[in-house]
Each structure stands twice: as C-alpha cells, then as structure tokens.
Amino acid sequence: VEREAGAIPLHSRTDPTTEAKRWTAGNTDGEEQVVFLFGFGLGYHIEELLASNEEVLIVVFEPSPTIFSAALRERDLTSVIKSDRVRIILGEESAPFDILVSDPSITRMKFLSLRSYQTLFPDASIKRKKEYVSWLNRRQINTATIRRFDRLWTSNTFKNSTYFFSLKGIEVMKERFQGIPAVVLCAGPSLEQDIGNLRKLSGTAVIFAVDTALRPIMKRGIVPDFVVSVDPQWVNSFILLSDPQLDKEPSELPVLVSDPAVYPATLREYRGLKIITSSVFAPGRVIERFSGPKGTIAAGGSVAVAAYDLARISGADPILLLGLDLSYSTTRTHLSGSFHDLFLRSRAHRLDTAHTQMMRYIAGGDPFVEGDKKGDPVLTDRRMMLYRSWFENEAMKSKARTINASSGGLSIEGIENIPIEELRHELVKGGSLMKPEAVSKLREELLAALPDFERAFLFLDFLEALIKKLEAVYRLAKQGLSLVKSAGSKPESRESLARITGKLDEIDREILSDRDTNNILSMVMQTSIADILGKVKKTKPSVESEGPPRTEGYESALENSRVLYRSIEEGAQFLSGLLEKSSKRIQELVIEKGPHADK
C-alpha cells in the first residue's frame, strides 16, 4: 500500500506463507472457537487459521474495500470466500458482535490484528479493538447477571403482575417536558460538591434521580420529580422504604419509575405515585400481551442508564448529568449518605472496615488507572468502562443536548464537559414557569388512572391454563428423567437405546409444543442451558461401527440429559407455585377493586 512515507507491505515480501504459519502459531493455540481478525490482507493468515483449527469461526474486519478487491484479483481465495467458517465485514461501521456470536457456550475467543494494518489504519484498529473489549465485558457481565438473577427477575415480575394492569406505563412520559431542562442525578461521590447548585435549579429543571442517590439528596432538602429503580434485590428495596425522609404525604414524594422486576416490596410499599416500564425478559413480555405495552426504557447494567433514557423520552432539553463519575477518585463507590454507603458502614468492624469493603468491591471489577476530566490519574474498572461506552454511543443519537456537569469523574466522548455553576443562570432563566405546570399535569393524570379489569380477567384465564401446562411439563420431565436413568451407562443393545431415544423424542416434542411455556421455562433454566451447551461443544464422540454404542461422549450425553430433564422438572414446579401466587394477586385486584367489588 502506497503512503507518502513509502510503500507498506501487507505481508512478508519473500515468504508470506511461512510468515502466516509463524504468525498463527505465535498468536493462537488451536482451541479458539472464534477469532476476530482486523485485516484481510491477501488472506495468507486466514488460510493458515482455517488449516490449523478445524472448528474455528473467523470474523474478518476489513476497513478497505480497495484492498479487499485487490486481494481477490491477486490470489485465488476461493477456499476462504466459500468457507462457512469465515465472515467478512467490509468498512468501518460498528460491528454486530451480538449477532455474530449469539451462542452463550462460546467462550474461547481472541481479537487479533495484522501488524501492517495497525500501521495503515491505527485509528480504525484501536476503535475496533475497543468495540470488541466493550462487547466482551458486556457479554461477561450480562452472562454473570443472568446466572445470578434469572429466577429473581422471573419471580419478582410475576409477583408484580398486578401493576401491569393498575399502573400507567412510561408512554405517559413521552415528550412531556419539551424545551424544559432536566438534571439526571447519579450517585457518584462528586455529587457532594454539586448539591448546592442543584438546589437552585430544582424549581426550573425536571430532576430525575437514581434510587441510590435519593436518600442523601432528600436529606439535604432536595425532592426530585422522579426516582428510577431497576435493581431486583431485596436490599435495594430499603432505599425507597427505610428512609424517614420518605415518610411524607404521597403528593410530596417523587414519582417512582420502576422496572417490573424490582423486589415486590418496592412497588407495594412505596407511598408515592408510580409508573412501570416494559420488561426485556420473557415473563414481562408474556404479561404485556394482556396488559398492553408499558413502554421500553434502556437497560445498560446501571440505573443511571435508565434515568438518562427516561429524561430523553420526556423530551427534556438540555439534559445535565451530575454524579456520573464512572470512577473511584476518593476510593468511595457512592455519594456519602447513600444507602450503599450506609450499608457498607453498617457491616464494618475492626477486622473488615468500610474502607476495606470498598476496596474489595473496586478490586472485583478489574480496576485500572485512567485520566479524569482534569487529566489526573483515577481508578476505574471494566464495569465503569461498559457504562461509559453506552453513554458515548447513545449521546450521539440523542436529539437533546447532553452535558456532563459533574465536578469530577471521567470524560465521556461526545458529551460536553461544562461545570454546573457555569450553566445555572442560563437554566434558571430558561426553565421559568414551564416545569411546575408540566409536572403538575402529569401527576394529576397518574392520580386519576384506574386499573384495567377487563385485561386483568383475560390474564387470569391465561395464568390458570399456563399452570396446567406447566404441571403437564413437570410430569413429562419426570418420565424423561426415568427413561434416561433406565438407559444406564452401558446399554445392552442398540435396539434398547433406539427404543428409549424414540420415547424421549416424543416427550421432547410434547414439552416443546407450547411457546409460552418454553419461553418462561427458559428464563429459569439459563444456568443449566449454558452449562449443557458448554459440555456438548467440548465433546467429540466417535461412534463404533458394530455392536452396542460405545461413544467417548456417551456417558456425558446421558448426564447432560439427566441435568436437562431434572432442570425442566424443577423449573416447572417452581413456576407452577409462582404462577399460583400471581393468580391469587390478580384475583384480589379484580375482586376487591373491580366493578363488582360491592357485590
């Protein structure tokens, strides 16, 4: 490739084939399931990767269509182009990593770049690597989160099912605050320095607070207009229930905007007005077929993501971000006085101080040093980088002007850094009388909302039918488990195995016959599914030609079947009990508050 400084060869001038072998041996171990490769070049390295690993999927990012066309003219690359193990993405658009690798059992991956491409396309090379790292972090965090919370999300969503029919969705927020400034309060330590300026804005800017910031800001006399909560854990419910500052009249409390998977006490006990969002998980989507959609809000692993998206949905402009530190400049994880801060301190003792607990939390995120807004070194971690990546991508799509007004923390590419004190006079002048009237009208509409009893009745019928289907699946899974056990580790004959397999096929067809049952079951089986897929991918059975089956992976296959049927059996039993509780709550809603309540 010709450059002003001279020609840059894509490969060795003398022996590119040997170079490709050396490059492949030095960068791979032959166990990779997916290799992401920046640079198609003339394809020598791709041919070697295919030859050295018979199962690897190679995803090639080629930034230059001109080089790609030249490669096709220069060499016969039929084996590469026609291979079903090679994906080629031309240009510099963002890569759809989630689509390229959707199988959760794929864990052995690498990102490699040709050295010549790092010289020719340094910015594109760095950008692609950052995209990969961000996606990989998000994937790992999402996988760990689902494994940890799959049942909790499902349980909470069904226990909260009445609210799908009795509360307004966030569509009621759409474009409500056009032309009115908004402030999104996150719980980073730097918020401490900005509260004084925030107090002067509370009358003219709509204030959206994450739940973790609510306690300390209300203690300082600031009542946000909205508080956003998405965490499913019971500990998180204390944020909105245990603070004396929240023991006020409902009209004096912020409107709670809640994910339907929050711990049930959060929605049940919160005394203020409430709005519910749509769910990204199967249980919520099933309920919304009857309640109607409640309105989607961004889910990026942090409640700050949801709060910012809510401000965008409301049409507010500009949107100021406060307390979005994305770092640990003071070795504190949250604003002083926040629930998390108090929770850590409540557990502290001489041998495990609050400071030690905070540092342990920070260490758990693979921390590293990054420059803050002022260029000073500050600790951050891969979790924070994931959130920063989300804001970098989303701010560019936002119609509203987004300003990072936090006193500290990291810069976010594409978002202006302007201290709040420099914006305060402009915002006070711009908000004037618009905010109070807009907020008042919204609260009146929420207060007048009535439950949709007709839709709730339809959902109640569906629940009763679904419980019967789950009971049938439970019995089928027990039959399947019994058959697998009868197969044993050493089948007597091929015929007996064929008979058992035939019966298992019939059971599988019946289990898979209902979409709703399968969708909900899959939510409580994520850990088992991922584990089984991982084992199957690693097993390479070789079947003998004569006599009873003697495969290397035979016993492993039997064990996977046992785990699968046991998981289906246990999951169906868990869901049946859960849906019965949900059914009782729906009955209470329609009987106690319905049109025939007096009778």
Side-chain angles (χ1 to χ4, degrees):
V1 177
E2 295 291 345
R3 287 287 189 264
E4 290 183 5
I8 298 174
L10 297 180
H11 302 276
S12 167
R13 294 178 183 274
T14 56
D15 193 350
T17 303
T18 300
E19 178 195 52
K21 291 180 183 293
R22 190 183 304 114
W23 179 88
T24 302
N27 288 287
T28 65
D29 56 20
E31 296 296 321
E32 292 82 6
Q33 294 168 291
V34 181
V35 170
F36 294 100
L37 177 61
F38 185 74
F40 185 89
L42 296 179
Y44 293 103
H45 53 314
I46 302 172
E47 291 171 329
E48 184 58 32
L49 281 171
L50 289 171
S52 63
N53 186 329
E54 295 180 356
E55 295 186 358
V56 69
L57 171 67
I58 305 169
V59 179
V60 186
F61 301 115
E62 175 50 61
S64 171
T66 304
I67 292 179
F68 182 67
S69 298
L72 297 182
R73 291 194 301 270
E74 181 70 20
R75 300 187 63 227
D76 181 5
L77 292 167
T78 304
S79 62
V80 172
I81 300 300
K82 289 191 173 183
S83 174
D84 60 0
R85 294 193 288 129
V86 176
R87 306 281 187 274
I88 301 170
I89 298 176
L90 290 177
E92 297 186 24
E93 294 297 319
S94 295
F97 286 103
D98 285 324
I99 297 173
L100 292 166
V101 183
S102 58
D103 186 342
S105 70
I106 294 176
T107 57
R108 299 187 300 278
M109 296 176 286
K110 279 187 179 175
F111 184 97
L112 303 172
S113 298
L114 285 183
R115 184 175 298 176
S116 56
Y117 273 71
Q118 294 176 30
T119 302
L120 286 165
F121 308 101
D123 294 340
S125 175
I126 293 170
K127 177 185 175 184
R128 193 64 81 192
K129 182 64 179 289
K130 284 179 65 177
E131 286 179 350
Y132 168 73
V133 171
S134 176
W135 167 78
L136 191 61
N137 285 339
R138 184 173 70 250
R139 186 176 191 261
Q140 291 171 344
I141 291 171
N142 287 348
T143 299
T145 303
I146 288 175
R147 281 174 174 257
R148 183 181 178 188
F149 294 132
D150 54 357
R151 295 210 166 187
L152 185 58
W153 276 321
T154 302
S155 177
N156 289 353
T157 301
F158 277 114
K159 287 179 180 177
N160 290 331
S161 57
T162 56
Y163 299 107
F164 283 83
F165 303 94
S166 60
L167 296 180
K168 288 277 190 180
I170 60 170
E171 76 283 349
V172 76
M173 293 285 295
K174 193 170 183 180
E175 304 299 333
R176 276 281 180 169
F177 305 127
Q178 283 189 6
I180 303 174
V183 181
V184 176
L185 300 182
C186 307
S190 72
L191 185 58
E192 190 82 50
Q193 304 170 50
D194 297 318
I195 284 179
N197 284 305
L198 175 64
R199 189 176 289 109
K200 298 168 184 175
L201 287 177
S202 60
T204 55
V206 182
I207 299 178
F208 298 85
V210 302
D211 52 6
T212 45
L214 185 62
R215 179 189 292 261
I217 63 173
M218 288 194 67
K219 191 172 183 179
R220 291 163 173 80
I222 299 169
V223 180
D225 301 292
F226 300 90
V227 57
V228 183
S229 186
V230 299
D231 196 307
Q233 300 175 90
W234 70 272
V235 169
N236 212 66
S237 67
F238 288 128
I239 295 172
L240 298 171
L241 304 179
S242 63
D243 192 344
Q245 298 292 328
L246 294 170
D247 189 20
K248 301 176 182 289
E249 290 298 316
S251 59
E252 299 175 6
L253 294 173
V255 176
L256 171 63
V257 181
S258 172
D259 186 282
V262 296
Y263 193 72
T266 300
L267 283 166
R268 186 177 65 245
E269 303 296 336
Y270 185 72
R271 300 175 67 247
L273 294 170
K274 297 180 278 279
I275 294 173
I276 197 170
T277 74
S278 286
S279 172
V280 297
F281 301 108
R285 292 197 300 270
V286 168
I287 298 172
E288 285 184 272
R289 292 218 314 262
F290 297 88
S291 69
K294 311 309 288 186
T296 57
I297 197 168
S302 167
V303 67
V305 166
Y308 172 67
D309 196 38
L310 183 64
R312 291 194 300 182
I313 291 169
S314 76
D317 190 6
I319 301 172
L320 274 65
L321 302 171
L322 287 181
L324 189 66
D325 293 5
L326 302 175
S327 59
Y328 308 107
S329 56
T330 60
T331 67
R332 290 216 316 268
T333 58
H334 291 81
L335 171 67
S336 176
S338 67
F339 179 80
H340 287 286
D341 181 58
L342 295 175
F343 183 67
L344 281 179
R345 295 181 187 281
S346 72
R347 299 168 63 191
H349 52 81
R350 288 178 62 189
L351 301 180
D352 192 14
T353 66
H355 182 78
T356 300
Q357 292 184 52
M358 289 176 187
M359 292 308 298
R360 188 163 58 239
Y361 173 84
I362 293 170
D366 297 334
F368 55 91
V369 175
E370 185 85 356
D372 68 6
K373 291 179 179 180
K374 301 174 183 177
D376 296 327
V378 65
L379 270 180
T380 185
D381 62 31
R382 62 190 181 95
R383 294 169 298 203
M384 298 300 179
M385 289 299 98
L386 175 63
Y387 307 147
R388 183 167 81 164
S389 176
W390 187 91
F391 277 98
E392 286 175 347
N393 292 330
E394 291 299 315
M396 293 187 294
K397 304 175 187 176
S398 178
K399 294 185 293 184
R401 181 187 180 193
T402 302
I403 303 169
N404 189 351
S406 303
S407 294
L410 303 182
S411 291
I412 302 172
E413 189 176 332
I415 297 181
E416 301 174 75
N417 287 315
I418 305 176
I420 188 171
E421 57 266 22
E422 295 182 19
L423 296 164
R424 184 164 55 83
H425 296 294
E426 175 188 342
L427 295 176
V428 168
K429 183 179 178 181
S432 62
L433 303 175
M434 297 172 65
K435 177 210 165 170
E437 183 180 357
V439 171
S440 177
K441 283 185 177 180
L442 175 62
R443 294 183 70 96
E444 288 173 7
E445 186 174 335
L446 294 176
L447 193 60
L450 295 174
D452 193 327
F453 299 110
E454 185 176 344
R455 287 176 180 265
F457 267 118
L458 292 174
F459 179 62
L460 186 58
D461 290 340
F462 169 80
L463 275 180
E464 292 174 355
L466 188 57
I467 291 170
K468 291 178 180 177
K469 291 176 183 177
L470 284 166
E471 290 171 348
V473 167
Y474 172 79
R475 292 191 294 271
L476 288 166
K478 283 187 75 72
Q479 292 176 29
L481 189 58
S482 178
L483 284 167
V484 171
K485 288 178 179 178
S486 70
S489 60
K490 296 181 179 179
E492 296 178 0
S493 68
R494 194 180 297 273
E495 288 73 24
S496 66
L497 183 61
R499 178 177 55 81
I500 291 172
T501 302
K503 289 184 178 181
L504 290 175
D505 286 344
E506 291 178 13
I507 288 173
D508 291 349
R509 280 193 293 272
E510 288 190 60
I511 289 175
L512 294 170
S513 62
D514 185 74
R515 185 183 65 179
D516 289 328
T517 309
N518 280 275
N519 283 345
I520 295 171
L521 262 174
S522 70
M523 255 317 279
V524 299
M525 291 175 58
Q526 288 299 308
T527 299
S528 297
I529 290 169
D531 289 343
I532 291 169
L533 282 173
K535 291 175 184 176
V536 170
K537 293 285 182 181
K538 295 174 185 176
T539 303
K540 300 178 183 178
S542 55
V543 183
E544 297 180 3
S545 57
E546 295 181 1
R550 292 290 184 271
T551 65
E552 182 185 344
Y554 180 74
E555 290 188 19
S556 176
L558 280 178
E559 178 58 26
N560 286 339
S561 294
R562 289 190 195 101
V563 171
L564 179 62
Y565 286 119
R566 193 178 295 118
S567 182
I568 293 172
E569 176 190 34
E570 196 272 332
Q573 189 175 35
F574 167 79
L575 284 169
S576 293
L578 178 61
L579 295 188
E580 286 176 0
K581 292 178 183 177
S582 178
S583 177
K584 288 179 182 178
R585 294 182 182 188
I586 295 291
Q587 288 179 44
E588 290 171 1
L589 173 69
V590 298
I591 291 173
E592 294 179 8
K593 298 182 180 180
H596 304 297
D598 293 339
K599 299 180 181 179

